[in-house]
Amino acid sequence: MTLNIEDLQQIARIEKSKKDGFQHRINVCLAAGCLSCGSGLIKEALEKEVTRRGLDSWCKITGVGCLGLCAEGPLLSLPTSGSYYQGVQVSDVPEILDSLNGSPVARLVCPAETPFFQRQVRIVTENCGRIDPERIEEYIAEDGYAGLYQALTQMTPQEIIDQVSGSGLRGRGGAGYPTGLKWMSMAKAMGSTKFIICNGDEGDPGAFMDRSVLESDPHRVIEGMVIAGYATGANQGFIYVRAEYPLAVKRLRLALSQAERMGMIGNNIFNTSFHFNLQVRLGAGAFVCGEETALIASIEGRMGRPRPRPPFPVEFGLWDHPTMINNVETLANIAPIIRRGSQWFAGIGTEKSKGTKVFALAGKVVNTGLIEIPMGTSLRDIVFAIGGGIPQGGRFKAVQTGGPSGGCIPEQFLDMPVDYDSLAQVGSIMGSGGMIVMDASSCMVDVARFFMEFCMSESCGKCVPCRVGTRQIYDILGKITASRATMAEFTMLEDLCDLIKNTSLCGLGQSAPNPVLTTLKYFRDEYLAHIHDRQCLAGACKKAEEVL
Amino acid sequence: MKQHPPKKVRSDLNPSRLLTFKIDDRDVTAHEDETILSVARQNNIIIPTLCHLDGLSERGACRLCIVEVRGSTKLLPACVTFPRQDMEIITNSKRVINYRKKILELLFTERNHVCSVCVANGHCELQNLAVELGVDHVRYPYLYPRHDVDASHSRFCIDHNRCVLCLRCVRVCDEIEGAHTWDIMGRGMTSKVITDLNQPWGTSETCTGCGKCVQVCPTGALTEKGKSVAEMSKRRQFLPYLQMMRGRQGGSWQK
Amino acid sequence: MAKISLATIWLDGCSGCHMSFLDMDERFLDLAGQVDILFSPLVDNKVFPDHVDVTLVEGAVSNDSDKKNIAIIRQQSTIVVAFGDCAITANVPGMRNRYPVEAVLQRAYIENAAPPQQRSNGQPSKEGISFHTVPQLARMARPIHECIPVDFFLPGCPPPPRAILYLLTEILAGRTPQMHGWTRFGA
Ligand SMILES: Cc1cc2nc3c(=O)[nH]c(=O)nc-3n(C[C@H](O)[C@H](O)[C@H](O)COP(=O)(O)O)c2cc1C
Ligand code: SF4
Ligand code: FES
């Protein structure tokens, strides 16, 4: 089946009028966070109760993707009245239905006028929590696949790349490589077989932006990939998702079969000569498999170990064919850019970092969950306005960005805008978007040790500096937190960090020392207190004698 | 991918272009597809290596061959880096020498390399590297992990205590012998070379018993049985010969 | 040239390095004119002197007494030389580090002491091993530079006599010995 624009518009119209036919709609978050605290049961209970009351044509219950405030789940949203409910129990169901025509159930209401909702700018997550990710029609009703249609029928590949370049979009996978430039290289790469890979490995501890997008709006990623394929001359794509994301995989597969049925992937897409195939590939959840060359090895069925670059994947990638790897969030930005134009996108964010970024806000902060904010929002706004500050009147100490490859940013930089270059300047990275807030009770040495333990156990073991160096650093950090380290070991720590950073083969090793280096830079006194005074300033670490 | 010069040239006559660059301030010339390491060796400039072995695919993993490029802070592994016209390579700056020493020291701490009681004592590349790089002690604490010895094969023996994970055995078995008996499992510090699916070597059905792995192993990890301390010297002359006779196959980025 | 005072000691080692020292043969005589050996397993003195210019330490730090001694040595010597592989890498004494102390002792003093037919094959004995009269074994044998700062390293198992001589000659001449090429681990 091949659709044309009228068909698309028809589907959208029908879908919208269906929606408008209901007096009330209740959206139940069915993303992994809420699902794990029972939102599935709530949806069922709501549906049963609606049917029992004979209100099927009056009130519509929809399962949707992530609503953002994951820590307060299960969450419901009532788009007709604009209110949100948090911490809903099955027993609340009758009351919720009773109140539909009156004022909302006060005890469940989650204030929607707060900065948490107000300050967000939603591009990547615009459909999250608003549409049923398991129905392609709902995506189409929100202008879905209009960008693809426009790209395929009205634009040349060069025009698309120009749009992407002009938008200033940079890779959301961590390094912030200009996406337009990557696409341009890929378009220039020679060979009749080329591949596009969507990197959904998301191995950073605490990060779940990509999972959320894949679970809440899988078609957006598919659309981005097909556009990328057309723009760069690739006809085959792979979405690499970790197997620990079963729900994302399930929804992706479903979305793929729907898109295929409607002819958004396959042969002669939208009656053009362009064809594109797309498959899901599962990763076994190794952090290093997020690294491009290891990811390629993993898809090829070999061990997920990086190889030296150059040659880069755009020259020698999957099975030695030119291959372009983009992050989930990067690809999720493509369709809106095509639809609304590069100028619109370039108008959001800072001079060198355009658009928005999704963060997984976690740690010692009142509102934990998923947020999407314009680039350049200050850390203070994120932590105190959107995040609601530190719980129980605690004192802010640092925020960790970029996961195991990132760094800890102290209070003095709270007013720094969050963009690629500012973060790099203070020794951290944007990373994929994990953001962990720490208060006075966190010992920074212990934080560094936690991330080093992660890198040590995720090191693939190929190159010596990372394989053995991370272990040696971890041992020293362990000694410091146990107040058993000497100054000689402290010097050795700095020395090892420098070694691993400069001599490791891949990004994992090269960035593994970052959490240590930034804490050494900004919280040196905490290290020294463990060594000289044998005490932990934060009171978090146990001394060796106490451990034994 | 070859870069084509602006004027149409006959690529059948010029399959690879020539260029000149500098290593340690000496002018050298190279094909564009020769590595910095091989050009250095042609000019008798010594760059220490461990995972590299002539005749096997490159792995770029030990990082001992790192060199500096003038004007850049980035260090490049010479065994997998191709020169560019007018590049200035420095192989012996204080910086790279210090890094190499530290990397070698890390290798010594990783497993139990007891040279004095090793069958390869005196014929060991790790030991020689220590001399070459002037490593007379190891600054980092030894880790003393516990590893096995697999002596189940009738003629050979593997002592994981002495393995440096260069994976030469894996490569030679796959690329030259074509048996792919060896592989690697685990990750990070728990990586381990294995025969078949981690079965005792003696029970391997794929092992042809050719012994190439033993000959390419840089240390006393893979040895012939019946050798006593310092008796296990290795013969590798066959490698370049076999490679030449079979024609070098592509896919050198595989491992 | 003023004479320098020299001490040599062995901790957890096999005395092989000291044998190599003696293997200097007639060159030893030249050396004797330039050094005073104040303390050594080769001489009678039982107490480590208050001050020595150079101490050669053979062997790893392996038990209570080694730990005590190595601290005294550092305090009372101007130059400490890690003498041989055991002092530098823990070498053969370090091969026990992979096993718990009890298992090592069990193996060495109980299983191997019994005639083969009576060996219990790893079964722990009921009595265990007492440390009443001998120093307590540390969990691991460690290189001496993990315990104290060391000035020079003389690798080798044992270091060849000419390397020992070279090192001492250089120290006598007030130069820094460049050990590169003279010896190696396991030599
Ligand atoms: C150790 C390591 C882990 C990585 N993990 C991820 C990941 O989980 N997801 C991701 O998109 N990119 C990850 N990357 C970055 C990718 O290698 C690659 O740069 C990125 O997917 C490119 O996409 P982008 O240009 O859209 O950012 C990782 C890189 C390294 C070195
Ligand atoms: S840096 Fe670490 S993860 Fe990367 S190749 Fe080396 S060992 Fe593997
Ligand atoms: S020889 Fe180049 S990295 Fe090992």
Side-chain angles (χ1 to χ4, degrees):
Chain A
M1 177 169 129
T2 335
L3 303 180
N4 57 28
I5 191 70
E6 283 79 27
D7 299 331
L8 270 186
Q9 284 163 350
Q10 179 71 4
I11 293 172
R13 248 197 317 277
I14 295 174
E15 194 58 35
K16 276 190 184 131
S17 71
K18 251 202 234 160
K19 256 190 185 170
D20 294 341
F22 292 102
Q23 199 91 40
H24 289 286
R25 282 183 288 130
I26 302 180
N27 292 345
V28 186
C29 173
L30 290 186
C34 288
L35 209 51
S36 68
C37 43
S39 67
L41 295 176
I42 292 165
K43 176 170 181 257
E44 235 170 72
L46 276 168
E47 277 166 346
K48 244 194 227 141
E49 186 66 14
V50 167
T51 314
R52 198 183 61 81
R53 297 185 184 190
L55 303 176
D56 280 325
S57 58
W58 181 73
C59 177
K60 167 88 180 143
I61 313 293
T62 317
V64 296
C66 186
L67 286 161
L69 203 56
C70 307
E72 304 295 339
L75 297 170
L76 307 187
S77 86
L78 282 63
T80 30
S81 68
S83 46
Y84 291 89
Y85 286 156
Q86 62 187 19
V88 179
Q89 303 292 322
V90 171
S91 53
D92 299 326
V93 162
E95 211 178 330
I96 292 172
L97 291 180
D98 290 342
S99 71
L100 277 181
N101 274 337
S103 54
V105 188
R107 121 188 101 77
L108 297 175
V109 162
C110 159
E113 306 298 310
T114 55
F116 183 85
F117 291 103
Q118 301 291 318
R119 291 289 298 273
Q120 296 199 40
V121 174
R122 291 168 170 273
I123 298 174
V124 172
T125 59
E126 62 182 343
N127 291 338
C128 291
R130 296 185 53 226
I131 65 165
D132 180 351
E134 304 195 353
R135 295 188 59 236
I136 189 171
E137 292 82 1
E138 297 209 9
Y139 179 66
I140 293 174
E142 303 291 336
D143 286 339
Y145 290 110
L148 175 64
Y149 187 86
Q150 190 182 336
L152 288 187
T153 56
Q154 292 153 30
M155 295 168 83
T156 63
Q158 187 58 47
E159 280 167 355
I160 297 173
I161 294 176
D162 287 345
Q163 286 293 317
V164 175
S165 299
S167 74
L169 176 65
R170 291 169 66 172
R172 302 291 194 242
Y177 191 81
T179 307
L181 188 59
K182 202 186 259 190
W183 286 31
M184 218 173 315
S185 315
M186 180 65 172
K188 284 196 174 171
M190 293 201 225
S192 52
T193 310
K194 298 191 198 178
F195 297 107
I196 309 262
I197 297 175
C198 169
N199 187 345
D201 187 60
E202 200 166 54
D204 310 23
F208 57 97
M209 299 72 50
D210 294 349
R211 187 195 74 202
S212 228
V213 172
L214 292 173
E215 280 174 3
S216 311
D217 201 5
H219 285 287
R220 165 178 303 265
V221 180
I222 296 173
E223 185 176 0
M225 284 191 79
V226 185
I227 296 175
Y230 173 68
T232 60
N235 297 109
Q236 170 75 47
F238 293 95
I239 306 182
Y240 186 84
V241 193
R242 50 175 41 218
E244 286 98 323
Y245 285 177
L247 186 62
V249 172
K250 180 184 142 221
R251 293 200 175 144
L252 256 179
R253 289 212 164 117
L254 189 66
L256 279 179
S257 71
Q258 291 167 348
E260 200 164 352
R261 202 179 63 230
M262 290 214 174
M264 277 85 163
I265 51 182
N267 290 335
N268 300 96
I269 300 171
F270 288 128
N271 278 327
T272 64
S273 60
F274 181 64
H275 51 102
F276 193 77
N277 289 312
L278 202 48
Q279 287 175 18
V280 177
R281 286 294 156 100
L282 299 192
F287 176 54
V288 74
C289 284
E291 199 280 340
E292 304 184 323
T293 55
L295 191 156
I296 287 173
S298 171
I299 293 185
E300 288 176 359
R302 294 184 290 112
M303 261 192 124
R305 287 207 154 88
R307 61 152 175 79
R309 300 177 307 171
F312 289 91
V314 270
E315 274 185 84
F316 290 94
L318 204 52
W319 298 292
D320 283 350
H321 295 293
T323 302
M324 182 171 81
I325 300 175
N326 276 134
N327 168 258
V328 169
E329 199 183 325
T330 314
L331 289 165
N333 272 306
I334 298 300
I337 290 176
I338 299 299
R339 248 181 6 238
R340 305 212 209 169
S342 58
Q343 286 317 307
W344 160 78
F345 193 84
I348 305 167
T350 66
E351 193 197 333
K352 287 200 174 139
S353 307
K354 300 295 185 195
T356 59
K357 178 79 193 83
V358 185
F359 287 101
L361 197 57
K364 298 285 171 49
V365 56
V366 173
N367 303 322
T368 62
L370 210 65
I371 56 169
E372 180 170 0
I373 46 166
M375 293 276 189
T377 309
S378 76
L379 273 176
R380 187 182 297 281
D381 278 351
I382 298 177
V383 176
F384 289 96
I386 301 172
I390 316 295
Q392 287 135 20
R395 191 173 149 66
F396 174 89
K397 187 175 204 173
V399 50
Q400 209 280 348
T401 69
S405 318
C408 293
I409 304 171
E411 198 173 358
Q412 73 213 67
F413 296 116
L414 261 181
D415 289 307
M416 183 187 83
V418 172
D419 59 51
Y420 290 101
D421 310 286
S422 309
L423 284 171
Q425 234 166 36
V426 298
S428 187
I429 58 165
M430 179 78 77
S432 50
M435 196 176 265
I436 303 169
V437 181
M438 287 167 281
D439 69 0
S441 69
S442 316
C443 167
M444 301 315 281
V445 189
D446 198 44
V447 169
R449 192 180 69 118
F450 167 80
F451 285 111
M452 192 48 68
E453 181 175 15
F454 181 84
C455 290
M456 174 182 76
S457 54
E458 292 294 332
S459 161
C460 82
K462 181 166 181 170
C463 69
V464 183
C466 167
R467 181 177 77 224
V468 195
T470 51
R471 166 68 194 273
Q472 293 282 8
I473 292 187
Y474 174 73
D475 284 357
I476 297 177
L477 290 172
K479 275 189 162 179
I480 296 180
T481 50
S483 292
R484 285 194 292 121
T486 61
M487 269 321 271
E489 281 162 325
F490 183 66
T491 318
M492 192 185 283
L493 174 71
E494 298 193 286
D495 185 69
L496 278 167
C497 285
D498 173 67
L499 174 75
I500 301 181
K501 199 179 174 71
N502 285 292
T503 61
S504 291
L505 191 159
C506 86
L508 192 155
Q510 288 159 10
S511 61
N514 285 350
V516 183
L517 287 171
T518 49
T519 47
L520 273 174
K521 190 161 160 198
Y522 302 122
F523 301 95
R524 206 178 184 83
D525 53 330
E526 292 199 21
Y527 281 84
L528 295 177
H530 281 97
I531 297 169
H532 293 319
D533 314 331
R534 315 226 161 249
Q535 68 159 346
C536 173
L537 292 182
C541 300
K542 287 207 173 72
K543 287 204 184 95
E545 305 88 81
E546 294 163 9
V547 176
L548 287 175
Chain B
M1 200 179 61
K2 305 264 148 57
Q3 283 172 357
H4 294 288
K7 188 168 133 276
K8 194 83 187 142
V9 294
R10 286 195 43 195
S11 58
D12 53 337
L13 294 182
N14 304 287
S16 143
R17 290 166 64 200
L18 291 176
L19 43 84
T20 54
F21 67 108
K22 280 194 163 109
I23 305 182
D24 294 341
D25 287 324
R26 276 168 59 183
D27 288 307
V28 293
T29 175
H31 284 288
E32 62 178 355
D33 53 4
E34 282 179 302
T35 61
I36 291 172
L37 178 67
S38 77
V39 181
R41 296 217 163 146
Q42 291 156 20
N43 290 280
N44 299 318
I45 297 167
I46 294 167
I47 300 175
T49 58
L50 182 60
C51 64
H52 165 89
L53 186 64
D54 278 340
L56 297 182
S57 64
E58 300 294 355
R59 220 165 96 78
C62 73
R63 316 307 280 175
L64 286 173
C65 66
I66 45 171
V67 294
E68 257 186 291
V69 184
R70 183 155 290 149
S72 154
T73 53
K74 220 177 141 208
L75 302 171
L76 302 171
C79 65
V80 289
T81 308
F82 298 101
R84 273 179 283 111
Q85 179 68 34
D86 298 332
M87 205 179 204
E88 289 184 43
I89 300 292
I90 305 152
T91 69
N92 53 9
S93 68
K94 261 220 141 51
R95 180 163 174 245
V96 292
I97 288 175
N98 278 332
Y99 280 142
R100 285 182 196 144
K101 269 178 129 166
K102 289 175 189 168
I103 293 170
L104 192 68
E105 288 176 40
L106 284 177
L107 262 178
F108 271 106
T109 69
E110 187 187 13
R111 299 218 173 173
N112 306 297
H113 297 282
V114 189
C115 301
S116 56
V117 293
C118 178
V119 289
N121 188 0
H123 314 285
C124 169
E125 291 183 40
L126 193 68
Q127 195 181 29
N128 291 344
L129 278 167
V131 174
E132 207 178 302
L133 301 182
V135 171
D136 60 2
H137 74 292
V138 171
R139 283 164 282 188
Y140 311 113
Y142 287 91
L143 298 171
Y144 303 114
R146 226 165 143 165
H147 285 286
D148 304 335
V149 176
D150 178 355
S152 60
H153 195 279
S154 57
R155 288 163 49 220
F156 310 122
C157 185
I158 174 150
D159 182 352
H160 293 283
N161 291 293
R162 306 189 189 283
C163 172
V164 292
L165 296 171
C166 66
L167 264 52
R168 286 186 189 176
C169 53
V170 177
R171 285 175 284 164
V172 82
C173 188
D174 177 42
E175 296 162 15
I176 310 292
E177 178 62 7
H180 203 130
T181 300
W182 287 104
D183 213 318
I184 182 161
M185 72 170 214
R187 67 174 178 229
M189 289 278 296
T190 60
S191 303
K192 180 186 164 197
V193 289
I194 51 170
T195 40
D196 287 353
L197 295 171
N198 197 21
Q199 296 305 300
W201 194 359
T203 66
S204 167
E205 301 197 343
T206 56
C207 175
T208 61
C210 73
K212 290 190 180 70
C213 50
V214 174
Q215 303 305 335
V216 298
C217 173
T219 70
L222 281 164
T223 53
E224 287 162 3
K225 282 190 170 171
K227 294 270 157 85
S228 179
V229 169
E231 288 181 356
M232 183 66 226
S233 58
K234 312 244 168 160
R235 286 165 285 117
R236 312 207 168 109
Q237 305 84 319
F238 67 92
L239 253 184
Y241 169 74
L242 282 181
Q243 277 290 13
M244 191 176 69
M245 296 313 280
R246 291 178 187 177
R248 182 71 189 264
Q249 274 154 21
S252 53
W253 298 109
Q254 294 292 307
K255 292 282 142 30
Chain C
M1 205 187 313
K3 277 192 170 186
I4 61 163
S5 54
L6 179 73
T8 77
I9 185 170
W10 70 57
L11 307 177
D12 193 358
C14 72
S15 80
C17 298
H18 276 77
M19 297 302 124
S20 192
F21 185 68
L22 292 177
D23 270 350
M24 275 193 271
D25 301 336
E26 73 281 3
R27 289 163 292 184
F28 204 73
L29 297 174
D30 298 339
L31 194 66
Q34 301 172 54
V35 301
D36 278 330
I37 302 190
L38 298 188
F39 180 89
S40 168
L42 310 172
V43 301
D44 269 346
N45 200 349
K46 296 281 180 290
V47 195
F48 197 83
D50 288 344
H51 177 80
V52 222
D53 293 324
V54 181
T55 303
L56 302 183
V57 184
E58 172 190 333
V61 178
S62 230
N63 59 32
D64 285 355
S65 138
D66 293 344
K67 281 186 198 168
K68 232 183 299 160
N69 286 337
I70 197 73
I72 296 174
I73 290 165
R74 180 68 273 183
Q75 243 169 23
Q76 292 164 209
S77 324
T78 312
I79 293 174
V80 173
V81 180
F83 183 30
D85 277 359
C86 295
I88 300 175
T89 73
N91 200 24
V92 175
M95 289 171 78
R96 74 166 169 91
N97 292 354
R98 284 169 261 164
Y99 308 95
V101 170
E102 299 71 41
V104 172
L105 293 173
Q106 177 75 24
R107 180 80 178 165
Y109 293 107
I110 297 184
E111 282 170 42
N112 285 355
Q117 58 276 27
Q118 288 173 25
R119 282 183 196 164
S120 57
N121 275 330
Q123 297 302 314
S125 77
K126 272 152 233 110
E127 305 94 73
I129 287 162
S130 101
F131 279 104
H132 282 314
T133 49
V134 290
Q136 174 99 32
L137 267 193
R139 165 68 193 89
M140 285 195 184
R142 287 282 177 189
I144 64 169
H145 68 267
E146 288 188 15
C147 307
I148 55 155
V150 170
D151 302 291
F152 299 117
F153 295 86
L154 184 53
C157 184
R162 53 191 267 293
I164 307 174
L165 185 66
Y166 164 77
L167 176 107
L168 290 175
T169 318
E170 292 297 290
I171 293 178
L172 274 168
R175 291 187 291 261
T176 305
Q178 302 296 329
M179 294 317 298
H180 190 96
W182 283 91
T183 177
R184 58 170 160 79
F185 294 136

